[in-house]
C-alpha cells in the first residue's frame, strides 16, 4: 500500500497538527510505503516571507523526524524539489471545475479573511490532488478539515480516468478516530490553528512545559461539573478529553469515569501534565535534529530523488494520454543510414 500526506511549512506547528497529522504519519508508515511532503508551494498561496519560508522548511523536516518518521523506511521530501507536482496540477486543472473549487470551505474562509486573494489560494486543492495522485497513493492520513479536499481529489482522479482512460489511483482519506479536529482552548468552537485561532488557546509543539501548563490551566470549560464527552453541550470539556486521549491513549469512557467526581480543576491539571509528557521528548529530539542542518538537507535530497522517480512515470502517462506530442531526442531524429 502507498501512503501520502502533505504538511505546510508555515506557522508554528501545534497540537492539532500533531493529532491530525504527525501522529498519524508515524503510525501509518508501518502499513506500507509512505511519502511525506513538505508542501512549500502551497505556502505561497497566502502572504509569506521568503526568509521565513526557507527556515520553516527545515524546521518542519526536523519536526517530521522528531515525531517519529523513520527516514530509513519513509520518504520525506520538499514539494518544490519535484517539478512533476506543479506540472501535474496544471494538467489536472483541465478536469477541475471552477464551481467545485468555489465551494471549498477552506478557500472561502481564508479568502474572507484577506484583502488580497491569490489565484493560487483558489487552485490550492488541485495542487494537493496532484501531490497525491502522481504517487498512486491509496491512503491519505489527514485531519478532519481536509475531508472536502480529499473528496475533490477523488473526483479529479475519476474524471481524469473517465475522460482519458484508466490512469490514476482513486485514494481514500484516513481521519483519526479521536482528535481529528482539536479545537482552540479559548474558543472551542474554532479549530486550533496558528492562522485562525487564539495564541493562548493554541498549544505549540515547541512550547516550553510552563507555557503548556498555563495554556491548559486557563482553557475554557463549560457550565456544570461533569467531565463528559459531548461536543454539542460541552465543547470545551470534550476538547480536553480528546486531547488527553491523544496524549495518553486512554479511551473517552476511561477518562470520563476517572474524573467524574473530581471536577474540572484536577482534570485540567492532568491534561496539562499529559501534554507536557507527550511533547517534552519531541521537543528535545527536535532540538538535536534541527541543529544538524547538513544532515537534514542530505535526507531531503535522498527523499527528492525517490519522489521524482516515483512521480515521473505517472506524469508521463498523463501527458501521453492527454495527446501532447513528445519531443524527439536528437538521436531519434537523425536519418538512418
Ligand atoms: P493551520 O490551520 O494551523 O494553518 P493547516 O491545516 O492549514 O494548519 P497543515 O499544517 O498543513 O495546515 O496541516 C497539517 C495537518 O494537520 C493536516 O492533516 C490537517 O488536517 C491537520 N490539522 C490542522 N489543524 C488541525 C486541528 N485543529 N485538529 C486536528 N488536525 C488538524
Ligand atoms: N492541504 C493540506 C496540506 C496538503 C496535503 C497534500 C495533505 C498539501 N498537499 C497532499 C495531504 C496530501 C493542509 O492544509 N493540511
Amino acid at each position: 500500500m502507498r501512503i501520502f500526506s502533505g504538511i505546510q511549512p508555515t506557522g508554528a506547528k501545534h497540537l492539532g497538527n500533531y493529532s491530525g497529522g504527525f501522529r498519524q504519519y508515524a503510525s501509518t508508515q508501518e502499513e506500507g510505503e509512505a511519502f511525506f511532503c513538505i508542501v512549500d508551494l502551497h505556502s505561497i498561496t497566502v502572504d509569506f516571507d521568503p526568509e521565513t519560508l526557507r527556515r520553516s522548511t527545515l524546521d518542519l523536516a526536523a519536526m517530521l523526524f522528531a515525531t517519529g518518521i523513520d527516514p530509513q523506511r519513509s520518504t520525506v521530501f520538499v514539494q518544490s524539489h519535484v517539478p512533476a507536482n506543479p506540472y501535474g496540477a496544471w494538467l489536472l486543472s483541465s478536469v477541475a471545475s471552477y464551481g467545485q473549487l468555489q465551494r471549498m470551505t477552506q478557500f472561502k474562509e481564508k479568502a474572507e479573511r484577506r484583502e488580497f486573494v491569490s489565484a493560487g489560494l483558489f487552485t490550492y486543492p488541485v495542487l494537493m490532488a496532484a501531490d497525491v495522485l502522481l504517487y498512486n497513493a491509496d491512503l491519505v492520513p489527514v485531519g478532519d478539515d481536509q475531508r472536502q479536499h480529499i473528496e475533490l481529489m477523488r473526483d479529479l482522479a475519476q474524471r481524469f480516468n473517465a475522460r482519458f482512460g484508466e490512469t490514476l489511483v482513486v485514494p481514500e482519506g484516513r481521519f483519526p478516530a479521536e482528535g481529528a479536529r482539536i479545537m482552540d482552548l479559548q474558543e472551542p468552537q474554532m479549530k486550533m490553528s496558528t492562522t485562525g485561532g487564539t495564541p493562548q488557546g493554541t498549544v505549540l509543539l515547541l512550547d516550553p512545559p510552563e507555557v503548556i501548563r498555563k495554556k491548559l490551566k486557563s482553557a475554557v470549560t463549560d457550565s456544570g461539573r461533569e467531565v463528559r464527552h459531548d461536543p454539542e453541550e460541552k465543547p470545551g470539556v470534550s476538547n480536553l478529553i480528546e486531547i488527553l486521549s491523544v496524549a495518553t491513549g486512554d479511551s473517552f469512557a476511561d477518562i470520563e469515569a476517572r474524573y467524574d467526581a473530581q471536577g474540572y480543576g484536577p482534570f485540567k491539571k492532568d491534561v496539562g501534565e499529559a501534554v507536557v509528557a507527550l511533547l517534552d521528548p519531541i521537543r528535545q529530539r527536535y532540538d538535536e535534529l534541527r541543529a544538524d542542518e547538513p544532515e537534514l538537507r542530505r535526507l531531503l535530497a535522498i527523499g527528492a530523488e525517490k519522489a521524482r522517480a516515483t512521480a515521473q512515470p505517472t506524469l508521463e502517462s498523463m501527458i501521453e494520454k492527454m495527446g501532447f506530442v513528445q519531443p524527439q531526442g536528437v538521436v531519434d531524429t537523425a536519418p538512418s543510414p
Side-chain angles (χ1 to χ4, degrees):
M1 187 171 65
R2 233 347 126 61
I3 296 141
F4 191 105
S5 197
I7 180 158
Q8 297 204 57
T10 35
K13 294 294 140 185
H14 52 76
L15 194 56
N17 297 136
Y18 175 79
S19 181
F22 298 108
R23 177 175 68 119
Q24 285 214 92
Y25 309 155
S27 63
T28 46
Q29 74 180 338
E30 312 288 327
E31 294 176 42
E33 190 190 2
F35 290 80
F36 300 107
C37 181
I38 300 174
V39 296
D40 54 351
L41 295 173
H42 277 107
S43 296
I44 64 167
T45 59
V46 294
D47 225 4
F48 75 102
D49 167 56
E51 253 335 292
T52 313
L53 180 61
R54 225 186 301 278
R55 193 169 2 96
S56 310
T57 300
L58 293 170
D59 291 350
L60 183 54
M63 187 55 85
L64 286 164
F65 297 124
T67 49
I69 290 177
D70 174 1
Q72 305 297 335
R73 143 169 237 157
S74 302
T75 305
V76 173
F77 72 101
V78 177
Q79 192 183 32
S80 65
H81 294 177
V82 188
N85 287 37
Y87 190 151
W90 182 254
L91 301 184
L92 284 174
S93 71
S94 69
V95 288
S97 94
Y98 176 75
Q100 191 174 12
L101 288 175
Q102 250 183 336
R103 287 193 294 277
M104 293 294 121
T105 319
Q106 185 173 301
F107 170 71
K108 288 194 278 188
E109 282 173 6
K110 289 194 173 174
E112 207 170 71
R113 273 192 263 129
R114 26 186 70 80
E115 220 162 89
F116 179 78
V117 178
S118 73
L121 189 63
F122 186 68
T123 55
Y124 175 118
V126 182
L127 177 57
M128 174 166 166
D131 289 341
V132 173
L133 300 178
L134 285 170
Y135 296 79
N136 296 321
D138 307 286
L139 189 70
V140 188
V142 279
D144 232 21
D145 58 343
Q146 297 301 313
R147 276 184 195 274
Q148 212 184 10
H149 289 161
I150 301 283
E151 262 326 295
L152 178 88
M153 79 172 62
R154 289 169 53 83
D155 287 350
L156 295 187
Q158 279 158 350
R159 207 170 298 137
F160 189 98
N161 290 344
R163 179 115 182 253
F164 303 110
E166 212 50 48
T167 314
L168 303 170
V169 173
V170 182
E172 302 265 346
R174 178 174 301 167
F175 311 91
E178 295 92 34
R181 192 174 175 80
I182 297 293
M183 309 308 278
D184 187 278
L185 300 178
Q186 293 296 319
E187 313 232 0
Q189 52 292 351
M190 298 192 312
K191 72 162 189 162
M192 185 177 285
S193 158
T194 37
T195 41
T198 69
Q200 193 57 24
T202 305
V203 177
L204 303 181
L205 299 184
L206 297 176
D207 271 343
E210 322 77 80
V211 175
I212 296 176
R213 290 193 182 97
K214 207 156 132 209
K215 285 181 177 173
L216 278 141
K217 197 169 164 210
S218 59
V220 302
T221 42
D222 315 282
S223 56
R225 291 188 77 236
E226 335 90 282
V227 172
R228 178 161 50 86
H229 192 265
D230 179 351
E232 291 291 309
E233 290 278 310
K234 293 176 155 285
V237 170
S238 301
N239 191 37
L240 294 173
I241 293 177
E242 298 228 2
I243 290 173
L244 187 55
S245 167
V246 166
T248 58
D250 295 344
S251 71
F252 294 177
D254 283 351
I255 295 170
E256 288 172 344
R258 194 173 334 135
Y259 292 99
D260 191 31
Q262 297 195 40
Y264 295 149
F267 171 57
K268 287 206 284 186
K269 188 154 182 292
D270 285 5
V271 181
E273 291 312 321
V275 175
V276 168
L278 171 74
L279 297 184
D280 224 29
I282 292 177
R283 201 185 60 250
Q284 285 171 25
R285 269 198 302 278
Y286 172 87
D287 287 342
E288 268 167 45
L289 293 161
R290 186 64 182 89
D292 192 352
E293 216 167 287
E295 175 61 7
L296 289 174
R297 287 179 184 271
R298 188 184 73 84
L299 293 172
L300 292 176
I302 295 171
E305 209 167 301
K306 178 93 187 292
R308 281 188 219 112
T310 309
Q312 194 60 27
T314 318
L315 182 70
E316 280 170 15
S317 122
M318 291 172 78
I319 289 172
E320 217 268 312
K321 297 223 165 109
M322 290 177 87
F324 295 106
V325 173
Q326 288 305 90
Q328 293 281 296
V330 177
V331 178
D332 289 340
T333 51
S336 36

